[in-house]
Amino acid sequence: MPRTPWLAGDRGDVPGWVLITLMTAGLVVALWALAGPSLGQVFNQAVTRVVSF
């Protein structure tokens, strides 16, 4: 008999969570590829302004 009966029937939706995780990682990679150079330029401008202040 399980120690926590309220968890006994809850196995979860592992394939669903794997799909969500992979899709999220894909979106992050796609956004990084598109916005990475622009964000790098913004960062470099900000650092240059702080250093020259």
Side-chain angles (χ1 to χ4, degrees), residues 4-11:
T4 53
W6 53 275
L7 282 177
D10 188 16
R11 293 184 52 123

Side-chain angles (χ1 to χ4, degrees), residues 31-44:
L31 286 174
W32 191 269
L34 292 173
S38 297
L39 291 174
Q41 288 176 353
V42 169
F43 177 77
N44 287 335

Side-chain angles (χ1 to χ4, degrees), residues 10-51:
D10 188 16
R11 293 184 52 123
D13 183 19
V14 173
W17 284 109
V18 170
L19 182 62
I20 290 171
T21 303
L22 290 176
M23 289 175 63
T24 302
L27 284 172
V28 168
V29 168
L31 286 174
W32 191 269
L34 292 173
S38 297
L39 291 174
Q41 288 176 353
V42 169
F43 177 77
N44 287 335
Q45 287 176 356
V47 169
T48 302
R49 287 184 182 182
V50 168
V51 170

